[in-house]
mmCIF file of all heavy atoms in Angstrom:
data_model
loop_
_atom_site.group_PDB
_atom_site.id
_atom_site.type_symbol
_atom_site.label_atom_id
_atom_site.label_comp_id
_atom_site.label_asym_id
_atom_site.label_seq_id
_atom_site.Cartn_x
_atom_site.Cartn_y
_atom_site.Cartn_z
ATOM 1 N N THR Z 969 9.873 11.706 -21.879
ATOM 2 C CA THR Z 969 8.739 12.581 -21.575
ATOM 3 C C THR Z 969 8.076 13.065 -22.852
ATOM 4 O O THR Z 969 8.765 13.471 -23.800
ATOM 5 C CB THR Z 969 9.218 13.818 -20.783
ATOM 6 O OG1 THR Z 969 10.083 13.415 -19.730
ATOM 7 C CG2 THR Z 969 8.029 14.574 -20.223
ATOM 8 N N SER Z 970 6.752 13.030 -22.888
ATOM 9 C CA SER Z 970 6.026 13.598 -24.022
ATOM 10 C C SER Z 970 5.888 15.101 -23.824
ATOM 11 O O SER Z 970 6.078 15.621 -22.716
ATOM 12 C CB SER Z 970 4.638 12.951 -24.130
ATOM 13 O OG SER Z 970 3.810 13.390 -23.049
ATOM 14 N N GLU Z 971 5.547 15.787 -24.884
ATOM 15 C CA GLU Z 971 5.268 17.209 -24.769
ATOM 16 C C GLU Z 971 3.915 17.397 -24.058
ATOM 17 O O GLU Z 971 2.974 16.648 -24.307
ATOM 18 C CB GLU Z 971 5.202 17.856 -26.154
ATOM 19 C CG GLU Z 971 6.559 17.990 -26.828
ATOM 20 C CD GLU Z 971 7.489 18.912 -26.060
ATOM 21 O OE1 GLU Z 971 7.009 19.973 -25.575
ATOM 22 O OE2 GLU Z 971 8.672 18.576 -25.947
ATOM 23 N N PRO Z 972 3.803 18.358 -23.172
ATOM 24 C CA PRO Z 972 2.518 18.576 -22.496
ATOM 25 C C PRO Z 972 1.451 19.051 -23.472
ATOM 26 O O PRO Z 972 1.736 19.791 -24.412
ATOM 27 C CB PRO Z 972 2.846 19.653 -21.455
ATOM 28 C CG PRO Z 972 4.068 20.337 -21.957
ATOM 29 C CD PRO Z 972 4.846 19.301 -22.711
ATOM 30 N N LYS Z 973 0.221 18.614 -23.235
ATOM 31 C CA LYS Z 973 -0.918 19.044 -24.034
ATOM 32 C C LYS Z 973 -1.764 20.001 -23.199
ATOM 33 O O LYS Z 973 -2.194 19.650 -22.109
ATOM 34 C CB LYS Z 973 -1.753 17.843 -24.473
ATOM 35 C CG LYS Z 973 -1.005 16.878 -25.385
ATOM 36 C CD LYS Z 973 -1.882 15.682 -25.765
ATOM 37 C CE LYS Z 973 -1.128 14.712 -26.669
ATOM 38 N NZ LYS Z 973 -1.967 13.526 -27.018
ATOM 39 N N ILE Z 974 -1.994 21.181 -23.711
ATOM 40 C CA ILE Z 974 -2.751 22.210 -23.002
ATOM 41 C C ILE Z 974 -4.020 22.510 -23.783
ATOM 42 O O ILE Z 974 -3.968 22.779 -24.986
ATOM 43 C CB ILE Z 974 -1.933 23.508 -22.848
ATOM 44 C CG1 ILE Z 974 -0.506 23.205 -22.336
ATOM 45 C CG2 ILE Z 974 -2.649 24.474 -21.910
ATOM 46 C CD1 ILE Z 974 -0.446 22.578 -20.977
ATOM 47 N N THR Z 975 -5.151 22.438 -23.079
ATOM 48 C CA THR Z 975 -6.438 22.752 -23.709
ATOM 49 C C THR Z 975 -7.226 23.695 -22.800
ATOM 50 O O THR Z 975 -6.890 23.884 -21.634
ATOM 51 C CB THR Z 975 -7.257 21.470 -23.956
ATOM 52 O OG1 THR Z 975 -7.455 20.787 -22.709
ATOM 53 C CG2 THR Z 975 -6.554 20.548 -24.930
ATOM 54 N N SER Z 976 -8.282 24.268 -23.357
ATOM 55 C CA SER Z 976 -9.151 25.143 -22.565
ATOM 56 C C SER Z 976 -10.052 24.294 -21.662
ATOM 57 O O SER Z 976 -10.552 23.248 -22.067
ATOM 58 C CB SER Z 976 -10.020 26.009 -23.473
ATOM 59 O OG SER Z 976 -9.208 26.858 -24.261
ATOM 60 N N SER Z 977 -10.251 24.776 -20.431
ATOM 61 C CA SER Z 977 -11.129 24.068 -19.498
ATOM 62 C C SER Z 977 -11.563 25.046 -18.423
ATOM 63 O O SER Z 977 -10.803 25.363 -17.515
ATOM 64 C CB SER Z 977 -10.404 22.883 -18.876
ATOM 65 O OG SER Z 977 -11.231 22.208 -17.962
ATOM 66 N N ALA Z 978 -12.782 25.492 -18.507
ATOM 67 C CA ALA Z 978 -13.245 26.548 -17.594
ATOM 68 C C ALA Z 978 -14.194 26.054 -16.516
ATOM 69 O O ALA Z 978 -14.505 26.790 -15.579
ATOM 70 C CB ALA Z 978 -13.930 27.647 -18.393
ATOM 71 N N ASN Z 979 -14.644 24.780 -16.625
ATOM 72 C CA ASN Z 979 -15.753 24.348 -15.775
ATOM 73 C C ASN Z 979 -15.402 23.353 -14.678
ATOM 74 O O ASN Z 979 -16.262 23.030 -13.861
ATOM 75 C CB ASN Z 979 -16.856 23.742 -16.652
ATOM 76 C CG ASN Z 979 -17.423 24.744 -17.630
ATOM 77 O OD1 ASN Z 979 -17.600 25.912 -17.287
ATOM 78 N ND2 ASN Z 979 -17.688 24.303 -18.849
ATOM 79 N N GLU Z 980 -14.209 22.820 -14.645
ATOM 80 C CA GLU Z 980 -13.936 21.809 -13.637
ATOM 81 C C GLU Z 980 -12.502 21.871 -13.107
ATOM 82 O O GLU Z 980 -11.589 22.306 -13.788
ATOM 83 C CB GLU Z 980 -14.230 20.402 -14.168
ATOM 84 C CG GLU Z 980 -13.441 20.012 -15.402
ATOM 85 C CD GLU Z 980 -13.800 18.612 -15.892
ATOM 86 O OE1 GLU Z 980 -14.345 17.823 -15.101
ATOM 87 O OE2 GLU Z 980 -13.517 18.316 -17.058
ATOM 88 N N ASP Z 981 -12.376 21.412 -11.861
ATOM 89 C CA ASP Z 981 -11.085 21.219 -11.217
ATOM 90 C C ASP Z 981 -10.892 19.724 -10.994
ATOM 91 O O ASP Z 981 -11.795 19.052 -10.477
ATOM 92 C CB ASP Z 981 -11.057 21.911 -9.846
ATOM 93 C CG ASP Z 981 -10.614 23.361 -9.918
ATOM 94 O OD1 ASP Z 981 -9.617 23.634 -10.607
ATOM 95 O OD2 ASP Z 981 -11.258 24.204 -9.266
ATOM 96 N N PHE Z 982 -9.755 19.191 -11.378
ATOM 97 C CA PHE Z 982 -9.445 17.807 -11.019
ATOM 98 C C PHE Z 982 -7.969 17.540 -11.275
ATOM 99 O O PHE Z 982 -7.290 18.282 -11.990
ATOM 100 C CB PHE Z 982 -10.299 16.805 -11.818
ATOM 101 C CG PHE Z 982 -9.917 16.664 -13.273
ATOM 102 C CD1 PHE Z 982 -8.886 15.826 -13.665
ATOM 103 C CD2 PHE Z 982 -10.597 17.374 -14.253
ATOM 104 C CE1 PHE Z 982 -8.536 15.702 -15.006
ATOM 105 C CE2 PHE Z 982 -10.265 17.253 -15.595
ATOM 106 C CZ PHE Z 982 -9.225 16.408 -15.972
ATOM 107 N N THR Z 983 -7.483 16.464 -10.689
ATOM 108 C CA THR Z 983 -6.152 15.948 -10.995
ATOM 109 C C THR Z 983 -6.247 14.431 -11.038
ATOM 110 O O THR Z 983 -6.802 13.815 -10.135
ATOM 111 C CB THR Z 983 -5.113 16.363 -9.951
ATOM 112 O OG1 THR Z 983 -5.035 17.789 -9.900
ATOM 113 C CG2 THR Z 983 -3.733 15.795 -10.298
ATOM 114 N N ARG Z 984 -5.734 13.837 -12.100
ATOM 115 C CA ARG Z 984 -5.736 12.384 -12.246
ATOM 116 C C ARG Z 984 -4.321 11.899 -12.523
ATOM 117 O O ARG Z 984 -3.651 12.402 -13.430
ATOM 118 C CB ARG Z 984 -6.675 11.957 -13.380
ATOM 119 C CG ARG Z 984 -6.643 10.461 -13.651
ATOM 120 C CD ARG Z 984 -7.811 10.005 -14.526
ATOM 121 N NE ARG Z 984 -7.973 10.836 -15.702
ATOM 122 C CZ ARG Z 984 -9.145 11.371 -16.085
ATOM 123 N NH1 ARG Z 984 -10.224 11.204 -15.363
ATOM 124 N NH2 ARG Z 984 -9.214 12.104 -17.185
ATOM 125 N N ILE Z 985 -3.868 10.946 -11.741
ATOM 126 C CA ILE Z 985 -2.563 10.319 -11.944
ATOM 127 C C ILE Z 985 -2.796 8.871 -12.332
ATOM 128 O O ILE Z 985 -3.485 8.136 -11.630
ATOM 129 C CB ILE Z 985 -1.703 10.360 -10.658
ATOM 130 C CG1 ILE Z 985 -1.634 11.773 -10.093
ATOM 131 C CG2 ILE Z 985 -0.303 9.782 -10.931
ATOM 132 C CD1 ILE Z 985 -0.965 12.771 -10.987
ATOM 133 N N THR Z 986 -2.237 8.454 -13.456
ATOM 134 C CA THR Z 986 -2.347 7.069 -13.915
ATOM 135 C C THR Z 986 -0.943 6.520 -14.110
ATOM 136 O O THR Z 986 -0.127 7.137 -14.789
ATOM 137 C CB THR Z 986 -3.109 7.000 -15.252
ATOM 138 O OG1 THR Z 986 -4.340 7.727 -15.131
ATOM 139 C CG2 THR Z 986 -3.394 5.567 -15.647
ATOM 140 N N PHE Z 987 -0.664 5.363 -13.494
ATOM 141 C CA PHE Z 987 0.692 4.831 -13.630
ATOM 142 C C PHE Z 987 0.705 3.309 -13.635
ATOM 143 O O PHE Z 987 -0.181 2.659 -13.078
ATOM 144 C CB PHE Z 987 1.608 5.365 -12.527
ATOM 145 C CG PHE Z 987 1.253 4.926 -11.133
ATOM 146 C CD1 PHE Z 987 1.900 3.828 -10.551
ATOM 147 C CD2 PHE Z 987 0.310 5.607 -10.391
ATOM 148 C CE1 PHE Z 987 1.577 3.433 -9.269
ATOM 149 C CE2 PHE Z 987 -0.011 5.224 -9.104
ATOM 150 C CZ PHE Z 987 0.634 4.125 -8.534
ATOM 151 N N SER Z 988 1.714 2.770 -14.291
ATOM 152 C CA SER Z 988 1.949 1.330 -14.326
ATOM 153 C C SER Z 988 3.256 1.051 -13.600
ATOM 154 O O SER Z 988 4.331 1.374 -14.122
ATOM 155 C CB SER Z 988 2.053 0.834 -15.773
ATOM 156 O OG SER Z 988 0.859 1.094 -16.481
ATOM 157 N N PRO Z 989 3.198 0.494 -12.397
ATOM 158 C CA PRO Z 989 4.442 0.230 -11.664
ATOM 159 C C PRO Z 989 5.339 -0.731 -12.435
ATOM 160 O O PRO Z 989 4.853 -1.689 -13.047
ATOM 161 C CB PRO Z 989 3.965 -0.365 -10.337
ATOM 162 C CG PRO Z 989 2.574 -0.823 -10.581
ATOM 163 C CD PRO Z 989 2.010 0.054 -11.646
ATOM 164 N N ASP Z 990 6.620 -0.467 -12.405
ATOM 165 C CA ASP Z 990 7.598 -1.327 -13.072
ATOM 166 C C ASP Z 990 7.881 -2.513 -12.155
ATOM 167 O O ASP Z 990 8.779 -2.471 -11.308
ATOM 168 C CB ASP Z 990 8.879 -0.535 -13.352
ATOM 169 C CG ASP Z 990 9.866 -1.317 -14.207
ATOM 170 O OD1 ASP Z 990 9.658 -2.533 -14.406
ATOM 171 O OD2 ASP Z 990 10.865 -0.716 -14.669
ATOM 172 N N LEU Z 991 7.094 -3.572 -12.317
ATOM 173 C CA LEU Z 991 7.180 -4.715 -11.405
ATOM 174 C C LEU Z 991 8.535 -5.393 -11.445
ATOM 175 O O LEU Z 991 8.946 -6.039 -10.476
ATOM 176 C CB LEU Z 991 6.071 -5.718 -11.722
ATOM 177 C CG LEU Z 991 4.636 -5.217 -11.486
ATOM 178 C CD1 LEU Z 991 3.631 -6.304 -11.831
ATOM 179 C CD2 LEU Z 991 4.443 -4.758 -10.049
ATOM 180 N N SER Z 992 9.260 -5.258 -12.547
ATOM 181 C CA SER Z 992 10.590 -5.875 -12.631
ATOM 182 C C SER Z 992 11.547 -5.278 -11.610
ATOM 183 O O SER Z 992 12.460 -5.950 -11.134
ATOM 184 C CB SER Z 992 11.159 -5.713 -14.042
ATOM 185 O OG SER Z 992 11.439 -4.346 -14.331
ATOM 186 N N LYS Z 993 11.335 -4.000 -11.256
ATOM 187 C CA LYS Z 993 12.192 -3.352 -10.251
ATOM 188 C C LYS Z 993 11.956 -3.942 -8.859
ATOM 189 O O LYS Z 993 12.788 -3.783 -7.963
ATOM 190 C CB LYS Z 993 11.922 -1.844 -10.204
ATOM 191 C CG LYS Z 993 12.177 -1.098 -11.502
ATOM 192 C CD LYS Z 993 13.641 -1.154 -11.893
ATOM 193 C CE LYS Z 993 13.874 -0.328 -13.165
ATOM 194 N NZ LYS Z 993 15.263 -0.487 -13.660
ATOM 195 N N PHE Z 994 10.814 -4.600 -8.693
ATOM 196 C CA PHE Z 994 10.469 -5.187 -7.399
ATOM 197 C C PHE Z 994 10.520 -6.714 -7.448
ATOM 198 O O PHE Z 994 10.043 -7.391 -6.541
ATOM 199 C CB PHE Z 994 9.075 -4.721 -6.971
ATOM 200 C CG PHE Z 994 8.918 -3.231 -7.005
ATOM 201 C CD1 PHE Z 994 8.199 -2.608 -8.013
ATOM 202 C CD2 PHE Z 994 9.518 -2.431 -6.045
ATOM 203 C CE1 PHE Z 994 8.065 -1.228 -8.062
ATOM 204 C CE2 PHE Z 994 9.391 -1.056 -6.082
ATOM 205 C CZ PHE Z 994 8.664 -0.455 -7.094
ATOM 206 N N LYS Z 995 11.084 -7.228 -8.543
ATOM 207 C CA LYS Z 995 11.248 -8.675 -8.739
ATOM 208 C C LYS Z 995 9.897 -9.390 -8.636
ATOM 209 O O LYS Z 995 9.775 -10.430 -7.988
ATOM 210 C CB LYS Z 995 12.260 -9.235 -7.742
ATOM 211 C CG LYS Z 995 13.627 -8.565 -7.860
ATOM 212 C CD LYS Z 995 14.608 -9.039 -6.815
ATOM 213 C CE LYS Z 995 15.911 -8.274 -6.930
ATOM 214 N NZ LYS Z 995 16.879 -8.640 -5.879
ATOM 215 N N MET Z 996 8.899 -8.785 -9.257
ATOM 216 C CA MET Z 996 7.539 -9.332 -9.243
ATOM 217 C C MET Z 996 7.029 -9.471 -10.671
ATOM 218 O O MET Z 996 7.466 -8.755 -11.582
ATOM 219 C CB MET Z 996 6.598 -8.420 -8.449
ATOM 220 C CG MET Z 996 6.933 -8.291 -6.979
ATOM 221 S SD MET Z 996 5.862 -7.070 -6.139
ATOM 222 C CE MET Z 996 4.251 -7.875 -6.271
ATOM 223 N N ASP Z 997 6.090 -10.409 -10.844
ATOM 224 C CA ASP Z 997 5.448 -10.596 -12.137
ATOM 225 C C ASP Z 997 4.031 -10.041 -12.146
ATOM 226 O O ASP Z 997 3.477 -9.751 -13.211
ATOM 227 C CB ASP Z 997 5.400 -12.092 -12.504
ATOM 228 C CG ASP Z 997 6.788 -12.693 -12.644
ATOM 229 O OD1 ASP Z 997 7.661 -12.015 -13.216
ATOM 230 O OD2 ASP Z 997 6.994 -13.831 -12.180
ATOM 231 N N SER Z 998 3.426 -9.924 -10.971
ATOM 232 C CA SER Z 998 2.037 -9.462 -10.891
ATOM 233 C C SER Z 998 1.777 -8.896 -9.502
ATOM 234 O O SER Z 998 2.588 -9.065 -8.576
ATOM 235 C CB SER Z 998 1.076 -10.619 -11.177
ATOM 236 O OG SER Z 998 1.210 -11.628 -10.178
ATOM 237 N N LEU Z 999 0.647 -8.225 -9.369
ATOM 238 C CA LEU Z 999 0.205 -7.736 -8.067
ATOM 239 C C LEU Z 999 -0.474 -8.905 -7.354
ATOM 240 O O LEU Z 999 -1.591 -9.277 -7.673
ATOM 241 C CB LEU Z 999 -0.767 -6.571 -8.240
ATOM 242 C CG LEU Z 999 -0.200 -5.335 -8.945
ATOM 243 C CD1 LEU Z 999 -1.315 -4.350 -9.256
ATOM 244 C CD2 LEU Z 999 0.864 -4.673 -8.084
ATOM 245 N N ASP Z 1000 0.231 -9.493 -6.365
ATOM 246 C CA ASP Z 1000 -0.276 -10.711 -5.747
ATOM 247 C C ASP Z 1000 -1.268 -10.419 -4.625
ATOM 248 O O ASP Z 1000 -1.548 -9.264 -4.281
ATOM 249 C CB ASP Z 1000 0.889 -11.577 -5.233
ATOM 250 C CG ASP Z 1000 1.789 -10.832 -4.261
ATOM 251 O OD1 ASP Z 1000 1.261 -10.085 -3.410
ATOM 252 O OD2 ASP Z 1000 3.022 -10.984 -4.350
ATOM 253 N N LYS Z 1001 -1.808 -11.478 -4.040
ATOM 254 C CA LYS Z 1001 -2.881 -11.373 -3.059
ATOM 255 C C LYS Z 1001 -2.479 -10.550 -1.844
ATOM 256 O O LYS Z 1001 -3.268 -9.723 -1.347
ATOM 257 C CB LYS Z 1001 -3.313 -12.773 -2.622
ATOM 258 C CG LYS Z 1001 -4.473 -12.779 -1.643
ATOM 259 C CD LYS Z 1001 -4.879 -14.190 -1.289
ATOM 260 C CE LYS Z 1001 -6.031 -14.197 -0.293
ATOM 261 N NZ LYS Z 1001 -6.429 -15.592 0.060
ATOM 262 N N ASP Z 1002 -1.249 -10.760 -1.348
ATOM 263 C CA ASP Z 1002 -0.840 -10.058 -0.133
ATOM 264 C C ASP Z 1002 -0.683 -8.554 -0.356
ATOM 265 O O ASP Z 1002 -1.093 -7.746 0.487
ATOM 266 C CB ASP Z 1002 0.471 -10.649 0.412
ATOM 267 C CG ASP Z 1002 0.230 -11.904 1.241
ATOM 268 O OD1 ASP Z 1002 -0.934 -12.223 1.513
ATOM 269 O OD2 ASP Z 1002 1.218 -12.567 1.615
ATOM 270 N N ILE Z 1003 -0.079 -8.157 -1.477
ATOM 271 C CA ILE Z 1003 0.101 -6.725 -1.714
ATOM 272 C C ILE Z 1003 -1.252 -6.067 -1.978
ATOM 273 O O ILE Z 1003 -1.501 -4.933 -1.555
ATOM 274 C CB ILE Z 1003 1.089 -6.448 -2.881
ATOM 275 C CG1 ILE Z 1003 1.495 -4.956 -2.908
ATOM 276 C CG2 ILE Z 1003 0.505 -6.850 -4.217
ATOM 277 C CD1 ILE Z 1003 2.311 -4.513 -1.743
ATOM 278 N N VAL Z 1004 -2.169 -6.793 -2.626
ATOM 279 C CA VAL Z 1004 -3.515 -6.249 -2.850
ATOM 280 C C VAL Z 1004 -4.250 -6.083 -1.529
ATOM 281 O O VAL Z 1004 -4.949 -5.089 -1.308
ATOM 282 C CB VAL Z 1004 -4.303 -7.156 -3.815
ATOM 283 C CG1 VAL Z 1004 -5.777 -6.755 -3.848
ATOM 284 C CG2 VAL Z 1004 -3.719 -7.069 -5.222
ATOM 285 N N SER Z 1005 -4.077 -7.033 -0.604
ATOM 286 C CA SER Z 1005 -4.734 -6.921 0.705
ATOM 287 C C SER Z 1005 -4.181 -5.738 1.487
ATOM 288 O O SER Z 1005 -4.902 -5.079 2.244
ATOM 289 C CB SER Z 1005 -4.561 -8.217 1.504
ATOM 290 O OG SER Z 1005 -3.221 -8.404 1.915
ATOM 291 N N LEU Z 1006 -2.901 -5.441 1.283
ATOM 292 C CA LEU Z 1006 -2.297 -4.291 1.948
ATOM 293 C C LEU Z 1006 -2.807 -2.985 1.345
ATOM 294 O O LEU Z 1006 -3.137 -2.028 2.065
ATOM 295 C CB LEU Z 1006 -0.768 -4.380 1.828
ATOM 296 C CG LEU Z 1006 0.059 -3.454 2.713
ATOM 297 C CD1 LEU Z 1006 -0.295 -3.617 4.181
ATOM 298 C CD2 LEU Z 1006 1.551 -3.720 2.500
ATOM 299 N N PHE Z 1007 -2.896 -2.931 0.009
ATOM 300 C CA PHE Z 1007 -3.477 -1.763 -0.649
ATOM 301 C C PHE Z 1007 -4.926 -1.565 -0.191
ATOM 302 O O PHE Z 1007 -5.372 -0.437 0.035
ATOM 303 C CB PHE Z 1007 -3.453 -1.936 -2.169
ATOM 304 C CG PHE Z 1007 -2.081 -1.853 -2.797
ATOM 305 C CD1 PHE Z 1007 -1.897 -2.244 -4.110
ATOM 306 C CD2 PHE Z 1007 -0.979 -1.404 -2.089
ATOM 307 C CE1 PHE Z 1007 -0.644 -2.174 -4.718
ATOM 308 C CE2 PHE Z 1007 0.281 -1.334 -2.669
ATOM 309 C CZ PHE Z 1007 0.444 -1.715 -3.985
ATOM 310 N N SER Z 1008 -5.656 -2.678 -0.055
ATOM 311 C CA SER Z 1008 -7.061 -2.601 0.368
ATOM 312 C C SER Z 1008 -7.179 -2.042 1.780
ATOM 313 O O SER Z 1008 -8.091 -1.259 2.070
ATOM 314 C CB SER Z 1008 -7.708 -3.987 0.297
ATOM 315 O OG SER Z 1008 -7.700 -4.491 -1.021
ATOM 316 N N ARG Z 1009 -6.269 -2.452 2.652
ATOM 317 C CA ARG Z 1009 -6.310 -1.923 4.011
ATOM 318 C C ARG Z 1009 -6.125 -0.417 4.023
ATOM 319 O O ARG Z 1009 -6.743 0.304 4.805
ATOM 320 C CB ARG Z 1009 -5.223 -2.570 4.877
ATOM 321 C CG ARG Z 1009 -5.385 -2.277 6.366
ATOM 322 C CD ARG Z 1009 -4.066 -2.150 7.071
ATOM 323 N NE ARG Z 1009 -3.428 -0.878 6.807
ATOM 324 C CZ ARG Z 1009 -2.126 -0.666 6.903
ATOM 325 N NH1 ARG Z 1009 -1.303 -1.644 7.220
ATOM 326 N NH2 ARG Z 1009 -1.617 0.530 6.652
#
Side-chain angles (χ1 to χ4, degrees):
T969 313
S970 70
E971 288 296 319
K973 297 179 180 179
I974 312 297
T975 58
S976 298
S977 179
N979 298 321
E980 59 181 340
D981 272 314
F982 73 83
T983 300
R984 176 166 49 229
I985 309 297
T986 309
F987 65 96
S988 300
D990 188 349
L991 295 180
S992 67
K993 300 296 183 186
F994 308 105
K995 302 176 184 176
M996 296 175 65
D997 298 319
S998 63
L999 298 171
D1000 56 41
K1001 183 178 179 180
D1002 278 352
I1003 192 67
V1004 169
S1005 69
L1006 193 55
F1007 289 168
S1008 299
R1009 192 214 77 204

